[in-house]
Amino acid sequence: MADGAGIQQGSPAIGAAGSVPAGPGAGGTEGSGTAGGSARIAVKKAQLRSSPRPKKLEKLAVYSSCKAEGACKCNGWKSQNPPPTPPRTDQQCSAVNLQEPCRSCSHTLGDHVHLENVSEEEMNRLLGIVLDVEYLYTCVHKEEDADTKQVYFSLFKLLRKSILQMGKPMLETQESPPFEKPGIEQGVNNFVQYKFSHLPSKERQTITELSKMFLNQINYWQLETPSQRRQRVPSDDAAGYKANYTRWLCYCNVPQFCDSLPRYQTTQIFGRTLLRSVFTVMRKQLLEQARQEKDKLPPEKRTLILTHFPKFLSMLEEEVYSHNSPIWSQDFLAGVSGGQIPVHTVISAPPVARPLYYSPSPVSVDPSTCGSLSPARKAASVLEPSPVGEKRKPSEPLHHEENKRPRVLGDIPMDLINEVMSTIADPAAIPEQTNLLSAHSARDEAARLEERRGVIEFHVIGNSLNQKPNKRILMWLVGLQNVFSHQLPRMPKEYITRLVFDPKHKTLSLIKDGRVIGGICFRMFPSQGFTEIVFCAVTSNEQVKGYGTHLMNHLKEYHIKHQILNFLTYADEYAIGYFKKQGFSKDIKVPKAKYVGYIKDYEGATLMGCELNPSIPYTEFSVIIKKQKEIIKKLIERKQAQIRKVYPGLSCFKEGVRQIPIESIPGIRETGWKPVGKGKELKDPDQLYGTLKTILQHVKIHQNAWPFMEPVKKTEAPGYYQAIRFPMDLKTMSERLKSRYYTTRKLFMADMQRIFTNCREYNPPESEYYKCANLLEKFFYTKIKEAGLIEK
């Protein structure tokens, strides 16, 4: 790989079968950039450990203190006549003259040899340290960088002291590994889970391979010295980088060759701080190396490296440099105790996983799409019985297996769902349309496919008065200013420029072929709980491609991560239609006191708002809906096939039979017919309404109905709405009854049964809620029987 910015590289070739470690040293140290130094040291150690014992004693004597007299301070025997450069043979070694005087203290070699009673294993260990000392001695003299030389010399003295004291080398530092949590390895694994858990297994396996390859590169990456980094990035935290560089040398780099020192993987003991300091340069050089060596790569590796790896690195870069990316949280996906728990959609396979809460980070680049739900749909999805007093606690982890879920009237069996999903997920059954999109495709499906192929990118950018200007970001801001000015001719250009470059405003930019083709400029008001969308435009020749919808979907995801769930914007007559399609309406959910005085009123424009649902993965929503539609379509086809089945005619009457039970007619039960006496269905809507109203009133005044009167509050039962897919409560049933939703007794009974089933699923059997559910359920069915709706 070509060096860049004065950084010596020691990383292996991309896609190589094996990992080639780099030797220590930035100034031509032995083994630098190859495995030669490490291999030579290993060979020397093996040869020395197989030498005769007298040879080993002589070798150790060079590093052993003199024991002739208590006052002698000689720390190693030095020969009067140094041996020639070629090593002596084993026969010469075995005839060691213990009477030969030391050149330093004049005492004999025998006075320095005092390890006769040491075991062979311990002697071999000490001999290994001896060769490490000699290797570090060479490194100290060859190293030109002052910081690196100082570390080598400190390790040299440490190993020298270990031989004298016959102890194990222990680095004396204020902190011990790991130095930051979570480590780089855990962070990258969290990133894969956070961004790609919704992908099919084959695509997810590809991402896993990329992450392993990236981690392997870091473990054998040669860091630039602090002096080189000061020249390249003068404004960086020099002291912090120097501390990490010293730790890396001591715990990761030098122990690759000096195996008497404890060795750690870089990705396991260092975290985001170190990764930030190397990522930009590392990414650039890895991609440059990939382009240079593309012809040497096998075909399967070539596609992985040249197509998928750049996109993987771009997405990871967003999370690395984000100040509050959730992947660096120690409790990422930790479970119920405040951690992040995947959210499963009602019907999807594989399930779409996304953390419960989002902390601020750059906009995600997930290859998926979404729309937004209407307020009525949102309200129906978050209603659930509410406990009084204490929180409800689950008796087991929130990830239940579907086949253990209690069956509720009206549920589709999960084995049937899984069977249908296997056909939906089968590429042969439903081939993905990559070239031609159907007429029924989502508005942003074309944009989603372009993003997956890396044609377009999304970045949240903004001007800053505190950081050094970034040339690329400034160029993008100028491009955004031009796009907005051209597409919004009624807006003064000076006004657009002032807002785009205002540090309080940010812009979600759409990048294609390195240039800006669209964006959404916005200002966040976290204290007021809303964001104002100021400008939204896509350049003329790139419109009608779904870019506007995809932009808005990414903006929604970005704000959910920042825990801001309301948009406000003033739309002119030309933009109202666009915003309606994105889930905006004139029904403003934000209290007027929250935004008056914070946003500017535009003459001739209409104030519109959009309320976000944090449980919806907006950039994936259209994909989920598409799969759900396919599932329903398959289920309908199966049901129709059953209905259209032709059964044989009755032949019993020819044999003299005059009468048979209706249920014995072939196919009659498959139509849904039930024998008389199983429960009557009231045909008169008013009569049904009155009967159900009476039953519901009796249930609500029952002494055990108190836990189920209101929807469950998220603050009282964390994770409840991730464990319970179909929440229900008595208040919701009253509203549904009033709106004449219950056109049949089955609908009414299904909702009531849902309350009891949800309670038993979420709470342990010994809890008060569980007992209330059992008693109230018994009372409910008593009332149903009394009303004649089911058989007594």
Side-chain angles (χ1 to χ4, degrees):
M1 175 183 266
D3 290 350
I7 303 173
Q8 179 192 7
Q9 297 303 324
S11 61
I14 292 187
S19 301
V20 184
T29 305
E30 177 186 359
S32 179
T34 68
S38 179
R40 284 193 293 272
I41 294 174
V43 170
K44 288 180 181 180
K45 288 183 178 181
Q47 291 175 346
L48 187 57
R49 286 165 178 164
S50 62
S51 301
R53 190 175 181 87
K55 168 64 178 176
K56 296 180 180 180
L57 291 173
E58 181 187 12
K59 187 72 173 177
L60 286 172
V62 177
Y63 297 91
S64 301
S65 58
C66 180
K67 302 296 182 182
E69 299 176 7
C72 185
K73 297 183 179 179
C74 181
N75 286 331
W77 179 80
K78 299 176 180 62
S79 173
Q80 293 282 2
N81 301 308
T85 303
R88 294 178 292 178
T89 63
D90 289 347
Q91 288 77 12
Q92 292 173 313
C93 292
S94 60
V96 177
N97 184 6
L98 296 180
Q99 300 303 316
E100 186 176 350
C102 174
R103 181 159 51 94
S104 178
C105 65
S106 300
H107 294 114
T108 63
L109 170 60
D111 292 329
H112 287 265
V113 177
H114 48 83
L115 301 172
E116 294 86 348
N117 298 325
V118 174
S119 66
E120 197 71 18
E121 182 181 357
E122 177 64 12
M123 188 174 291
N124 288 337
R125 186 186 71 83
L126 293 173
L127 287 170
I129 300 179
V130 166
L131 287 183
D132 287 344
V133 167
E134 293 177 350
Y135 180 72
L136 282 172
Y137 182 78
T138 305
C139 291
V140 169
H141 283 78
K142 288 186 176 182
E143 183 58 54
E144 297 179 357
D145 179 72
D147 296 317
T148 309
K149 183 190 286 281
Q150 182 180 2
V151 175
Y152 287 163
F153 186 65
S154 299
L155 294 176
F156 167 81
K157 292 194 297 182
L158 171 66
L159 295 180
R160 185 78 173 79
K161 182 179 178 181
S162 299
I163 300 173
L164 289 173
Q165 298 178 352
M166 297 175 60
K168 292 185 178 181
M170 296 295 293
L171 294 171
E172 298 178 359
T173 57
Q174 294 181 350
E175 297 183 60
S176 58
F179 303 110
E180 187 175 3
K181 291 183 179 180
I184 297 174
E185 179 178 333
Q186 184 61 50
V188 172
N189 290 336
N190 291 346
F191 165 72
V192 172
Q193 171 69 18
Y194 177 52
K195 290 291 187 182
F196 305 103
S197 61
H198 66 283
L199 295 178
S201 58
K202 186 176 181 180
E203 296 181 26
R204 197 161 56 243
Q205 180 62 31
T206 300
I207 299 299
T208 302
E209 290 181 17
L210 291 175
S211 65
K212 289 180 179 179
M213 184 174 67
F214 175 74
L215 292 172
N216 186 63
Q217 297 287 334
I218 297 177
N219 283 328
Y220 291 108
W221 194 260
Q222 192 75 14
L223 297 187
E224 60 183 335
T225 64
S227 58
Q228 290 173 330
R229 184 169 182 80
R230 280 194 297 271
Q231 295 176 2
R232 188 173 63 85
V233 192
S235 61
D236 195 29
D237 180 13
Y241 180 80
K242 183 177 180 180
N244 276 335
Y245 178 77
T246 302
R247 294 165 176 166
W248 172 77
L249 281 177
C250 294
Y251 290 97
C252 304
N253 184 257
V254 174
Q256 292 184 55
F257 305 89
C258 302
D259 59 8
S260 54
L261 292 169
R263 183 190 173 194
Y264 297 85
Q265 295 285 356
T266 304
T267 54
Q268 293 179 350
I269 65 173
F270 291 100
R272 179 167 53 165
T273 302
L274 180 70
L275 185 59
R276 279 179 170 177
S277 63
V278 302
F279 189 91
T280 302
V281 174
M282 182 180 179
R283 174 177 180 265
K284 177 181 177 182
Q285 295 186 6
L286 283 176
L287 297 179
E288 178 64 28
Q289 182 188 15
R291 286 189 289 269
Q292 292 177 0
E293 301 181 358
K294 62 181 179 180
D295 296 331
K296 301 178 184 178
L297 297 173
E300 64 277 4
K301 284 285 185 182
R302 191 177 306 160
T303 302
L304 185 70
I305 301 302
L306 298 180
T307 304
H308 301 295
F309 199 43
K311 187 66 175 178
F312 176 86
L313 292 178
S314 296
M315 295 176 67
L316 180 58
E317 185 177 24
E318 297 279 2
E319 303 300 324
V320 169
Y321 292 104
S322 167
H323 293 289
N324 296 290
S325 172
I327 70 171
W328 302 105
S329 173
Q330 291 192 43
D331 56 359
F332 181 88
L333 291 178
V336 186
S337 58
Q340 297 174 324
I341 306 167
V343 177
H344 299 274
T345 55
V346 175
I347 303 176
S348 65
V352 176
R354 204 181 70 176
L356 267 178
Y357 65 90
Y358 292 82
S359 42
S361 75
V363 67
S364 62
V365 201
D366 293 340
S368 36
T369 62
C370 100
S372 74
L373 293 178
S374 66
R377 288 279 300 280
K378 294 176 185 176
S381 65
V382 295
L383 297 172
E384 180 55 31
S386 171
V388 176
E390 60 181 339
K391 294 181 181 179
R392 299 190 186 189
K393 297 182 180 180
S395 57
E396 57 183 355
L398 296 183
H399 301 281
H400 301 288
E401 297 183 13
E402 297 293 352
N403 56 2
K404 294 183 179 179
R405 186 182 298 276
R407 180 73 192 278
V408 179
L409 183 64
D411 269 355
I412 300 175
M414 284 310 302
D415 55 351
L416 178 58
I417 293 293
N418 294 332
E419 183 181 348
V420 173
M421 280 305 306
S422 64
T423 63
I424 297 298
D426 184 5
I430 303 179
E432 182 179 2
Q433 297 176 338
T434 56
N435 297 324
L436 298 176
L437 297 175
S438 69
H440 302 288
S441 299
R443 285 190 299 272
D444 56 348
E445 187 163 349
R448 177 177 61 83
L449 294 176
E450 286 191 10
E451 185 183 9
R452 176 176 292 181
R453 294 195 298 266
V455 177
I456 59 175
E457 297 179 357
F458 296 87
H459 299 277
V460 174
I461 60 175
N463 196 12
S464 175
L465 300 178
N466 302 322
Q467 299 178 357
K468 186 178 179 180
N470 183 296
K471 183 179 179 180
R472 183 178 66 168
I473 292 179
L474 290 177
M475 292 297 295
W476 284 350
L477 289 173
V478 172
L480 286 165
Q481 182 260 348
N482 290 331
V483 170
F484 292 145
S485 298
H486 187 265
Q487 297 302 126
L488 305 171
R490 292 192 294 178
M491 284 286 181
K493 191 170 184 178
E494 295 78 9
Y495 177 70
I496 293 176
T497 304
R498 179 163 63 86
L499 294 190
V500 169
F501 284 89
D502 181 7
K504 296 178 181 178
H505 288 71
K506 296 180 181 179
T507 305
L508 172 59
S509 56
L510 171 58
I511 310 299
K512 185 175 184 178
D513 298 328
R515 62 185 181 87
V516 175
I517 65 169
I520 300 177
C521 182
F522 59 93
R523 180 175 178 180
M524 304 169 74
F525 295 92
S527 62
Q528 305 306 110
F530 75 92
T531 282
E532 180 190 14
I533 295 178
V534 185
F535 307 123
C536 177
V538 176
T539 188
S540 302
N541 58 342
E542 297 288 355
Q543 291 180 3
V544 201
K545 295 183 179 179
Y547 291 153
T549 297
H550 209 39
L551 264 170
M552 188 61 70
N553 290 339
H554 276 302
L555 189 67
K556 291 174 181 178
E557 287 285 332
Y558 180 79
H559 279 78
I560 287 175
K561 295 174 186 178
H562 285 72
Q563 300 178 354
I564 298 179
L565 303 180
N566 284 282
F567 287 158
L568 292 178
T569 187
Y570 276 96
D572 60 24
E573 65 271 23
Y574 302 106
I576 290 178
Y578 164 79
F579 282 109
K580 281 186 176 180
K581 292 177 182 178
Q582 309 309 317
F584 286 73
S585 72
K586 300 176 184 178
D587 182 17
I588 308 301
K589 299 295 182 181
V590 181
K592 193 171 183 179
K594 288 282 188 179
Y595 63 83
V596 170
Y598 285 85
I599 62 177
K600 185 177 180 180
D601 189 358
Y602 294 91
E603 184 179 353
T606 302
L607 181 63
M608 302 185 72
C610 178
E611 184 179 10
L612 305 181
N613 189 328
S615 297
I616 297 177
Y618 283 96
T619 55
E620 303 163 4
F621 192 60
S622 64
V623 177
I624 298 171
I625 294 299
K626 183 179 179 180
K627 286 186 177 181
Q628 291 178 344
K629 287 181 178 178
E630 291 292 339
I631 294 172
I632 299 300
K633 181 180 177 182
K634 291 288 184 182
L635 291 173
I636 292 174
E637 289 175 357
R638 291 186 175 220
K639 194 67 175 178
Q640 287 177 341
Q642 294 175 359
I643 294 173
R644 291 168 184 167
K645 184 178 179 180
V646 178
Y647 292 87
L650 297 174
S651 59
C652 59
F653 297 109
K654 294 181 180 180
E655 300 172 359
V657 177
R658 301 294 300 274
Q659 183 178 353
I660 62 172
I662 296 178
E663 60 266 24
S664 65
I665 300 175
I668 193 69
R669 288 187 179 274
E670 285 74 7
T671 65
W673 179 90
K674 293 182 180 180
V676 178
K678 295 295 183 181
K680 64 178 181 179
E681 193 70 69
L682 299 178
K683 300 298 182 181
D684 184 2
D686 294 332
Q687 185 182 359
L688 176 64
Y689 173 80
T691 303
L692 298 183
K693 182 178 180 181
T694 301
I695 294 174
L696 186 58
Q697 287 175 345
H698 281 93
V699 171
K700 291 172 68 174
I701 63 175
H702 192 272
Q703 61 181 357
N704 293 306
W706 61 268
F708 315 111
M709 298 298 293
E710 300 281 343
V712 167
K713 295 182 176 61
K714 295 180 181 180
T715 55
E716 296 177 348
Y720 183 86
Y721 290 98
Q722 282 65 54
I724 302 302
R725 298 189 304 168
F726 306 110
M728 185 51 58
D729 62 279
L730 296 175
K731 180 181 179 182
T732 303
M733 289 190 66
S734 298
E735 294 170 352
R736 288 186 170 187
L737 180 64
K738 186 176 180 180
S739 64
R740 300 299 179 110
Y741 168 82
Y742 298 118
T743 56
T744 67
R745 61 182 174 85
K746 289 183 179 180
L747 289 174
F748 181 79
M749 293 172 62
D751 274 358
M752 187 66 74
Q753 185 61 51
R754 183 78 65 185
I755 294 177
F756 308 135
T757 304
N758 290 345
C759 180
R760 285 192 288 260
E761 183 178 352
Y762 187 78
N763 298 286
E766 65 275 7
S767 68
E768 187 176 4
Y769 304 110
Y770 198 104
K771 297 174 183 177
C772 285
N774 288 342
L775 294 173
L776 189 62
E777 180 183 33
K778 186 177 180 180
F779 174 78
F780 168 69
Y781 280 103
T782 299
K783 290 297 179 182
I784 286 288
K785 292 175 183 178
E786 291 177 358
L789 297 182
I790 61 173
E791 186 182 30
K792 295 185 179 181

